[in-house]
Amino acid sequence: MVRGAGRGGRGMPGRGGMGRPPFNRPRVMLRPPFDLILAEPAFPRCKPAPDDSALTQALLKRHAELCPTPAEQSAVLSLVTKLQTVLDNLVVAPGDFAACQLEEVRQVGSYKKGTMMAGKNVADIVVIMKTLPTKEAVEGLSNKVNEELNKLMRADGGGTVTSACHERGFTVTATSAAVRVLVTTLHQNLRKLEPEVHLDYKVISSHLAAIRHSRWFEENAHHSSIKVLIRLLRDMCSRHSGLEPLTPWMIDLLAHHCIMNNPARQALPINVAFRRALSLLAGGLFLPGCAGLADPCEAAHARAHTALDLAVLDLAAATAQTLLRVVARGGHRYVLGLQAFEGGKDISTEITVWDGVVVSPLAPAYTETPEPMDTDDKEDDVQDGVAA
């Protein structure tokens, strides 16, 4: 007799101990939505593509309106340059500043990526502390930056700035621009954080993620068409309530996917990419059970949309389906915001008619069902383990 046979020891399935086979675990198969761009070789065209120049011109016109003016860009650049100088000096030569120790300063967000929007003259800078980010340390850093920055502004003959602390760090505000200074710490310090003393763990982790996002974007999404599509999608999401919860990172990944992920590995025209983005959202790209978009800055198999709850994801898909039908009937000017809908209403929530075709918003497919409560009545109906 072989030693250990039938005992269910290591490597044996007898008792289900350490040797339980991993293939018994249920696997969830994630499926991508139908994408005509990727499936185009299997569906060759029978006739030439229709003329889509009207949508292309509308997209470019709207993008020109969304780009910041040279004056706005100059104001943000000037403030960011001065603030970066002050923070770099505190990293290299802090002097008598003892509120905290700085490790590194990184620019992140739409300013760093080149996707700033008109009228939103706000840049983001992440400050990595060597020490733990206590609320007192953030306040001390804010006061020191405000003092040194005002000295630099007076030396250059500029105006004054103000600094205000908040839960993510502090914001430096000038006359025509602002910079949010987002505070974080070294990765090995995360386990030492205390909720009552330091900044919130999730906030600090999101600032570290913002650095990874900016680095990935700089290396992989430098094509100008991606930045154009990002501005258009962000503007569309801000004007339609169902798409508003989509995060900037989700929009960045979606724009990159729609522009660059195709059989030819060449950037798609902006009109094709815009239709593709709406089609993927309407097809359930961010719904449960769908493969979605892999997050390249997180661990393996992480998905960009898992941070949102199911009701929000369902509403986003329904809204995209409504907008896609409006675009298909020639209402792209209303979707893009070039032409206001009657009464300033959200076109994705109203019943509209396009050339005799009625487009009505879809009802939610997801409804929250409360868990059944245990009652004594159920015990009365069950005898000997069998329901009566």
Side-chain angles (χ1 to χ4, degrees):
M1 179 178 180
V2 180
R3 175 172 290 193
R7 293 185 181 180
R10 186 183 298 271
M12 299 297 293
R15 293 186 180 178
M18 295 179 63
R20 179 177 297 174
F23 51 79
N24 283 343
R25 299 175 183 174
R27 292 184 178 181
V28 179
M29 297 297 294
L30 299 178
R31 304 181 183 277
F34 178 76
D35 189 349
L36 185 59
I37 300 298
L38 296 180
E40 191 171 5
F43 297 92
R45 284 190 172 274
C46 299
K47 57 182 180 180
D51 182 21
D52 209 15
S53 58
L55 176 61
T56 303
Q57 294 175 4
L59 290 169
L60 296 178
K61 180 180 179 182
R62 182 57 180 170
H63 178 259
E65 297 175 357
L66 295 175
C67 287
T69 63
E72 292 175 331
Q73 294 179 353
S74 176
V76 175
L77 176 62
S78 175
L79 183 59
V80 168
T81 303
K82 291 181 174 62
L83 181 57
Q84 183 87 36
T85 301
V86 171
L87 292 172
D88 287 341
N89 290 338
L90 291 177
V91 173
V92 177
D96 58 352
F97 177 67
C100 61
Q101 297 179 11
L102 304 186
E103 170 70 17
E104 194 177 359
V105 179
R106 291 287 190 92
Q107 296 180 18
V108 297
S110 58
Y111 172 78
K112 174 65 175 178
K113 298 173 183 176
T115 58
M116 278 183 56
M117 307 277 286
K120 298 181 180 179
N121 300 347
V122 181
D124 296 297
I125 290 180
V126 172
V127 172
I128 305 177
M129 290 185 176
K130 291 182 181 179
T131 53
L132 296 178
T134 62
K135 299 174 183 177
E136 291 77 13
V138 173
E139 185 176 357
L141 178 62
S142 173
N143 295 334
K144 181 66 174 179
V145 167
N146 188 46
E147 177 186 351
E148 296 296 328
L149 191 55
N150 275 309
K151 290 181 181 178
L152 196 58
M153 297 285 283
R154 286 193 294 269
D156 292 345
T160 60
V161 299
T162 58
S163 179
C165 293
H166 48 76
E167 61 180 3
R168 292 184 170 273
F170 58 94
T171 300
V172 177
T173 307
T175 305
S176 55
V179 179
R180 289 180 296 200
V181 180
L182 311 175
V183 176
T184 187
T185 185
L186 298 174
H187 193 272
Q188 57 264 29
N189 290 338
L190 293 179
R191 65 185 65 182
K192 304 176 185 178
L193 299 177
E194 299 179 8
E196 297 81 8
V197 180
H198 307 109
L199 298 186
D200 186 72
Y201 175 87
K202 291 184 178 180
V203 170
I204 291 178
S205 299
S206 68
H207 296 165
L208 290 175
I211 297 176
R212 297 193 297 270
H213 296 168
S214 295
R215 185 184 300 117
W216 179 90
F217 193 93
E218 186 176 7
E219 295 173 355
N220 299 277
H222 48 77
H223 198 282
S224 58
S225 296
I226 299 176
K227 300 176 182 180
V228 171
L229 185 58
I230 287 174
R231 284 196 178 98
L232 293 169
L233 292 179
R234 285 185 181 176
D235 173 66
M236 182 181 68
C237 292
S238 67
R239 288 182 292 99
H240 302 292
S241 57
L243 299 177
E244 196 171 2
L246 298 185
T247 64
W249 181 233
M250 293 170 65
I251 295 175
D252 291 349
L253 293 178
L254 178 61
H256 176 266
H257 176 84
C258 292
I259 291 286
M260 302 303 298
N261 189 10
N262 57 81
R265 297 297 179 184
Q266 299 294 327
L268 294 178
I270 188 63
N271 60 312
V272 177
F274 180 78
R275 288 185 185 273
R276 186 185 188 188
L278 270 182
S279 299
L280 290 176
L281 289 174
L285 180 67
F286 293 144
L287 288 181
C290 185
L293 296 176
D295 192 333
C297 298
E298 300 299 332
H301 308 300
R303 302 292 159 179
H305 65 278
T306 53
L308 303 181
D309 57 46
L310 300 180
V312 169
L313 297 176
D314 176 46
L315 180 59
T319 302
Q321 291 174 10
T322 302
L323 296 178
L324 183 62
R325 288 184 288 163
V326 172
V327 171
R329 303 306 305 177
H332 53 267
R333 295 181 62 84
Y334 295 92
V335 174
L336 294 174
L338 290 172
Q339 192 169 346
F341 192 60
E342 55 185 25
K345 298 179 181 178
D346 187 349
I347 196 173
S348 63
T349 61
E350 301 291 330
I351 299 177
T352 56
V353 181
W354 308 90
D355 295 332
V357 177
V358 178
V359 176
S360 58
L362 300 178
Y366 173 80
T367 55
E368 296 185 5
T369 56
E371 297 182 0
M373 299 180 61
D374 294 334
T375 61
D376 296 336
D377 297 339
K378 292 178 63 178
E379 298 179 359
D380 298 338
D381 296 336
V382 178
Q383 298 177 358
D384 297 331
V386 179

